[in-house]
Amino acid sequence: MIRKLLSTLNKVGINGFLLGIFAAIFFGYLFPFFGSSESTVPWKPIINVGIGFVFFFYGVKLNPQQLKSGLKNWKLHLLIQLTTFLVFPLLVFLIFSFLPFINQDFRLGISYLSVLPSTVSASIVMVSIAKGNIPGAIFNASISSLLGVIITPAWMEVLGNSSNFEIDFAGTLGELSVKVLLPVIVGLLSHNWLYPRIQSHIGKVKYLDQTVIMIIVFTSFAESFAQNVFSPYNYSTLVEVSVTMLGLFFLVMGVVELLSRILRFSREDKITALFCGSKKSLVQGVVIGKVIFPDPAILGLVLLPVMLYHIQQLIAGSIIASSFGKRI
């Protein structure tokens, strides 16, 4: 039982990458100056080039034919995208209304989490484990990532203003278009020519993704520690945010379950809606956050709820996916 659970956790991302994230935060704490804006290392151009390569290869891996054929199941797609970009932020708004004790300094990060796109790899793997509609998961996870480039900064312009944090939507969208959309489009156009040539090595691309994310996390938290951003908070605040994130995950799962029953989804479609609609992308969160929150110290504070949610969605999601898989 334990071995099987560990194997499942490894499949959905609770492995060396997660340990690397913790290590990046730890090294940011030990060597804040090395990762800060005062460092002699040119972190900004390194990160920008890395982001370009990450999304170029993401586009290369996308199959245009699969995306085209996936349009048929429109009810499933509509529910997942509405859950990801509308229901999720509305639930967070209700939580803030009924739970006023949530620390104000973390509300911006929780709001940011609520408008992020769905994660790709974890959603697809969990749907596969639970024996759901895998083509539907692939389509929605891919489309969600692309929509997030526009919808996430648009939402944050509204939510940021309510949190006294101004966001330049036009500037952010322009920068994300160059850093994210353009590499994805170039990669997508290169799919038919390039993908067959690198298919046997495509699995290694994840190490590029992970390295770029760990560098961004390291520099963000290093700057936060250098500026003593976290010094006013104690462990009880961290527990409070963690419990809120876990409760939010189960709340979203419950809402999607209810909506799936109302829409009379098949078992496979319901599973896909549950796992794609409740997931949030750490990769997109870090990359888009780097643009929306140019101050690394603020980014570190914003990313804390995102990372806490990411860890808990993997652990809780993998257990639920294994439970679904056993019922057949």
Side-chain angles (χ1 to χ4, degrees):
M1 177 66 182
I2 295 178
R3 183 178 298 177
K4 190 171 182 179
L5 178 59
L6 290 175
S7 176
T8 301
L9 293 176
N10 182 67
K11 288 179 181 178
V12 299
I14 303 181
N15 47 26
F17 175 50
L18 192 60
L19 295 177
I21 292 291
F22 289 135
I25 297 173
F26 182 64
F27 283 119
Y29 174 74
L30 290 180
F31 311 106
F33 178 80
F34 181 67
S36 72
S37 57
E38 302 296 323
S39 173
T40 56
V41 179
W43 291 116
K44 189 172 182 178
I46 291 173
I47 290 170
N48 287 339
V49 171
I51 290 172
F53 275 111
V54 166
F55 284 95
F56 169 74
F57 284 111
Y58 174 72
V60 170
K61 290 185 287 185
L62 287 177
N63 188 324
Q65 295 303 319
Q66 282 185 338
L67 292 177
K68 187 177 179 180
S69 62
L71 290 170
K72 299 174 183 177
N73 198 348
W74 65 270
K75 284 185 180 180
L76 173 63
H77 309 329
L78 188 61
L79 174 61
I80 291 175
Q81 300 309 320
L82 286 177
T83 300
T84 302
F85 294 114
L86 183 60
V87 174
F88 214 116
L90 289 178
L91 289 175
V92 166
F93 175 77
L94 290 175
I95 288 174
F96 287 164
S97 299
F98 289 101
L99 299 176
F101 59 82
I102 296 176
N103 194 294
Q104 290 287 338
D105 293 339
F106 291 102
R107 290 196 175 204
L108 182 62
I110 297 173
S111 298
Y112 176 60
L113 164 75
S114 72
V115 297
L116 284 175
S118 177
T119 185
V120 177
S121 57
S123 295
I124 296 170
V125 170
M126 288 187 187
V127 169
S128 176
I129 293 171
K131 297 180 173 59
N133 182 342
I134 298 176
I138 294 173
F139 177 86
N140 279 282
S142 302
I143 293 299
S144 177
S145 295
L146 298 177
L147 291 175
V149 175
I150 300 173
I151 297 177
T152 298
W155 255 120
M156 287 311 298
E157 185 178 37
V158 176
L159 299 176
N161 289 337
S162 65
S163 302
N164 297 320
F165 187 91
E166 293 186 5
I167 294 174
D168 178 11
F169 172 69
T172 299
L173 182 59
E175 191 171 344
L176 287 174
S177 297
V178 173
K179 290 183 177 180
V180 177
L181 278 184
L182 182 59
V184 169
I185 292 172
V186 173
L188 186 60
L189 294 174
S190 307
H191 173 85
N192 292 334
W193 176 80
L194 186 57
Y195 186 76
R197 290 170 169 77
I198 65 172
Q199 186 173 3
S200 59
H201 304 287
I202 202 69
K204 297 177 183 177
V205 172
K206 70 178 182 180
Y207 297 115
L208 171 63
D209 300 5
Q210 294 172 359
T211 300
V212 173
I213 297 307
M214 284 188 282
I215 290 174
I216 296 176
V217 169
F218 166 68
T219 55
S220 301
F221 277 83
E223 188 71 44
S224 297
F225 287 124
Q227 296 188 25
N228 297 314
V229 170
F230 296 112
S231 57
Y233 312 108
N234 52 35
Y235 289 111
S236 64
T237 303
L238 184 63
V239 172
E240 175 186 299
V241 177
S242 298
V243 172
T244 303
M245 295 299 92
L246 186 61
L248 179 59
F249 172 77
F250 284 112
L251 177 60
V252 173
M253 290 281 281
V255 171
V256 176
E257 167 79 22
L258 176 62
L259 293 175
S260 297
R261 289 185 179 183
I262 293 174
L263 294 172
R264 298 181 180 179
F265 278 178
S266 65
R267 181 184 185 278
E268 291 75 15
D269 283 355
K270 182 180 77 170
I271 288 172
T272 301
L274 281 171
F275 289 103
C276 289
S278 62
K279 297 290 175 293
K280 289 295 181 178
S281 174
L282 175 62
V283 174
Q284 292 274 40
V286 173
V287 171
I288 297 176
K290 185 69 178 175
V291 177
I292 296 178
F293 309 101
D295 185 342
I298 294 178
L299 179 60
L301 195 65
V302 168
L303 286 180
L304 187 61
V306 178
M307 286 190 286
L308 289 173
Y309 187 89
H310 175 76
I311 295 167
Q312 293 179 117
Q313 75 178 3
L314 292 180
I315 297 174
S318 63
I319 294 173
I320 296 170
S322 297
S323 176
F324 271 111
K326 291 176 182 177
R327 296 178 190 176
I328 293 183

